[in-house]
Amino acid sequence: MRRVVTGSAAALLCLVFLPALAHAQFAGAITGVVRDTSGGVLPGVTVEATSPVLIEKVRTVVTDDTGQYRIVDLLTGTYTMTFSLPGFSTVKRDGIEIAGTFVATVNADMRVGALEETITVTGETPVVDVQSVRAQQTVSKDVLAAIPSSRSGGGIQALIPGMSSNGDSGGITGGGGSAGQIHGSRGSDSRTYSDGLNIGWAGGGGGQWGNGVNVGVAQEVVLSTSGGLGEAETSGVSMNVIPREGGNTFSGSFAASGADGAWQGSNYTQSLKDQGLRAPSELNSMYEFNPMGGGRIIRDRLWFYTSYRQIATNNSTPGMFVNRNAGNPNSWSVDFDQSRQAFNDTLDQILSGRVTWQATPRNKINLSWQESIYKSNFKGGGSATTTPEAAVPSRMSPYHLQGATWSSPLSSRLLAEAGWGTFEARYRNPEPREDGTHNPRMIRAQEQSSMYGIGNLIYRMPAGVGGGFNHHLIGTKANNRASLSYVTGAHNMKFGYQGGFNNPNQTYQYFNEVINVRLNNGRANQLTQVITVDDSDARIKVTRNLWPTSFYAQDQWTSNRLTLQGGIRYDYYMMNYPESKIGGPGYTASAQPEHVYPSRSTQQVKWTDVTPRMGLAYDVFGDGKTAFKFNLGKYTQGVTAANNDFDLNPIIRTAISTTRDWTDNGDFVVNCDLANTEKNGECGAMNNKNLGKEVFDRTYDPGFVEGYGVRPYSWSLGLSVQQEVAPRVSVNVGYFRNWWGNWYTVDNQTNALADWTPYSITAPRDDRLPGGGGQVIDGLYDLVPGKVGQVAEWGTNSKNIAEQTENWQGVDVGVVARMRNGLTVQGGTSTGRKLADSCALRAALPEQGRGTRGATTSITDNGGSPVNPYCREVEPYQTSFRGLATYTVPRIDVQVSGTWRSDPGNDIAANFVANRAYVLANGTLGRNLSESANVTVNLIEPYTLFAERRNNVDLRIAKIFRYGRTRTQVGVDVFNLTNTDVVTGQSETFSPTSTAWLTPTSIQPARYMKLSAQIDF
């Protein structure tokens, strides 16, 4: 059980793997060719781009010998292009729209004439990027303001086909949301940025933290999903929230919205009642307000923009009620008060500011700052499987974002950029509850059976990662970057550096030596013990020093209709550890005397990688309306909580907790010597006999934690065709494939293959199971009794033992239409499947912990992995449909918009708890289980049984009022328009004597209306 601490610890490592990317990576460009009337190219033409979004007013370049030009690092906005050359009439082109990283191709034909003569050329803005291979989706502030949405990262990504986000129903549960996953990618590979500054971290099993993202103040949100060159560290999703800047004219906005239970209907149907849902989730209250504004301090020199956003929610918890026995240390049972339904509450507050300074005509500086507070479940809490008193109250107070960037066009062809940023957050997870139920003498309990109508119910006491109360300092002390771009018309070369430093730490506090008790039908069968007890001097603190350093070079070269792109990236990653200590005063008898590990005295991580990326874009017909694109790249993989035991910190590698059988006599008093590693009294032998010893559970292969090309990686391939099918309407069809390598594997070297006894069991007969049950589940393993508790692990590359395979492939189809009549449509489909196979590895190492479920494997000390026989998983091809549309009815200024989503249901498991008696009577083991009183076996092969499809439609109707420069929008959002009662989560604990299997644990929130208003001035 010491691994549970490692999950949080390794999660923090990813902060250093997330260096800030250069601003230009998220900026657009305008390029093209200038010719005379005979078709000959014109070098030396002065090309200017002007826009109100540029504090310097104008960007100027000159065409090269091939007549080509390129203006890079353009902010989102509308531009006017001017082409001038002595002896030729000046050419002007208005209305060029740039969004995200879009590269607009704007060609010009110049005729002989006076320079003072200006010819204005009209035409639609380009909608096909014929030079960039990056796959991206962009959502502008106007679209954000128009659609029914929470204006959060999660809400936006729910509209992107194939994205992992399932939507947030208008922010009914809060306003967070960070970069998700797509195309089978890892959560560790996703990146969340605010104006290019990384603020994401992959904690809690790989999910990205995004409470710090203030989407409400965004100029636009850019989601990149494929095709990154040297600037990109990983192949995963990057979500960049680009904040608004000030301007020469003061402008601002005030947005507010809210709803309560009176505005919600009910979808608590008879079908849900028949499925066992005891109470639905209902809206109690929610609100948001978000003032923002900015303008000039000095015209054309100094601009500012500031914003404050506050979001609060309160919702009842489906199927969960208050436990009358909460806070009573003498009670080990649950007594639900069904007149008091549990609820969840959140509060998110974000204050931010930004200053843009054009120090000189060639030097621009941006300064940004943000202070935030986030808290959840201090008064409420609970889930469908956790009682309120056991829910985890979280506080992140405060967390800070600061950043500074500098850019300078040293000449019309040379652009220099540099930046620094920091992200730091202090959070407690959990803290003592505020509802009066906190009692430090309480011990967390887990009931495996469904005796309370809920499988695997957690109650009595909260617990964070590691089973205790946590206090963490996370973030990145410094994200540094610098780059130099050489831009001509044909070439766009860039050379850059990314790096930084951080030393995240976390502190774990335990109030009792026994921190968790597992029960089955009310009888205790297992406990978890730790080596510290409620002593401030003995709280376990884990710190590490993290040093990433990267250099990259990339080039884009255009010749006629062909654009070639290439990049190469050098990454050096080092992780070492300051002085650490464990044991001594305040520790239990299980711990050894105090031991100090001097700084950098234990194994370190030192990885070196060089990864190539390449791409091709071809303007098929030469008219800028059809593009064929190809990209291929190798990327290093982020290390996060998904790699939950890849942390070389000496404290993490020391066993601070373990499980052991507990045959309680019913008095819930542990009648044994917990310091004794062997079976004694009511306690079985420790499942990890290294508890508290000056012995590392794990040693790492030096050839894996140090060296060149040994870091886990992925390859990413993309092929696509994009075409303009009508003015301002484009369609994109793409094929994508990702695959992974350098798997991390752990071998417990105290165990040989012969020490694992293979066996099978016969599943219970039950009409609810596929085929009525009764099938034989084989491929299970149990450790011989004499080897229980012996741990000496060796972490290495899996290819040293056996091969593993994982890949994803699929096809995406997208449509984007931004019509002049006010109609905007974005949407499409994503169809794909994952294949993962680790059977050869499992045959060699039955103790493997994660199988095909991630980039890493780990040993679990409760025997969970050896009873997962499904080492080959092949998903069927499944399709997701998502999109949005908005239209403003002319003359009456009524805005109508909607979003839609149709996603496959999740695959369903039937996790059967088989105790020793069942295995002995219905299996081939021929003896009692050795490590645990029971094992949990999934009776359904993964990806063979699925929940129902999830369909949702949201609608918005708003009236627009205009008074001079002021625009007011008052509207009503209707979420879950059809009031569907689709189940989005269900209990997967199976018992032939209980009806709790497939009981809904979450459903689509019932239809509700939210009033909203926004004033723009």
Side-chain angles (χ1 to χ4, degrees), residues 24 38 50 111 219 267 284 309 332 359 363 375 430 517 561 671 678 713 720 739 747 810 824 857 865 874 969:
S38 69
T50 59
R111 73 183 189 188
Q219 178 70 21
N267 62 351
N284 295 325
R309 191 180 191 192
W332 286 83
N363 290 277
K375 59 188 295 186
V517 171
R561 291 184 282 173
N671 296 304
E678 303 299 332
Y713 66 84
S720 63
W739 62 100
D747 177 11
T824 296
T857 54
S865 171
V874 183
Q969 179 177 285

Side-chain angles (χ1 to χ4, degrees), residues 202-234:
Q208 289 278 325
W209 180 60
N211 296 92
V213 184
N214 187 0
V215 174
V217 75
Q219 178 70 21
E220 66 180 358
V221 178
V222 181
L223 290 141
S224 300
T225 57
S226 178
L229 290 176
E231 291 169 305
E233 178 201 352
T234 71

Side-chain angles (χ1 to χ4, degrees), residues 186-371:
R186 309 276 190 260
S188 61
D189 290 336
S190 298
R191 298 292 180 262
T192 304
Y193 302 96
S194 176
D195 196 27
L197 172 64
N198 191 339
I199 60 171
W201 75 290
Q208 289 278 325
W209 180 60
N211 296 92
V213 184
N214 187 0
V215 174
V217 75
Q219 178 70 21
E220 66 180 358
V221 178
V222 181
L223 290 141
S224 300
T225 57
S226 178
L229 290 176
E231 291 169 305
E233 178 201 352
T234 71
S235 62
V237 174
S238 67
M239 181 177 73
N240 188 30
V241 178
I242 300 174
R244 305 182 196 188
E245 293 188 349
N248 282 324
T249 302
F250 183 81
S251 63
S253 178
F254 178 83
S257 64
D260 62 23
W263 291 79
Q264 186 177 43
S266 173
N267 62 351
Y268 188 35
T269 61
Q270 187 61 46
S271 172
L272 292 176
K273 297 175 183 178
D274 293 343
Q275 293 176 64
L277 181 63
R278 298 186 297 176
S281 173
E282 296 178 332
L283 170 66
N284 295 325
S285 65
M286 64 179 297
Y287 72 84
E288 172 192 355
F289 64 89
N290 185 188
M292 66 187 84
R296 72 172 185 266
I297 299 174
I298 303 174
R299 178 179 292 275
D300 298 331
R301 293 290 300 276
L302 193 61
W303 294 353
F304 78 96
Y305 208 89
T306 186
S307 168
Y308 174 76
R309 191 180 191 192
Q310 179 166 312
I311 305 169
T313 67
N314 186 302
N315 298 272
S316 63
T317 306
M320 182 54 63
F321 300 91
V322 170
N323 177 15
R324 292 188 179 95
N325 294 331
N328 181 359
N330 299 315
S331 175
W332 286 83
S333 63
V334 176
D335 181 13
F336 287 120
D337 181 352
Q338 298 202 15
S339 67
R340 300 167 62 199
Q341 190 171 354
F343 67 92
N344 288 275
D345 55 308
T346 68
L347 176 64
D348 198 357
Q349 299 167 296
I350 304 174
L351 176 64
S352 61
R354 179 180 177 88
V355 173
T356 302
W357 178 29
Q358 191 70 38
T360 71
R362 291 189 180 273
N363 290 277
K364 178 181 176 181
I365 296 171
N366 275 310
L367 303 175
S368 60
W369 161 82
Q370 180 175 303
E371 294 286 324

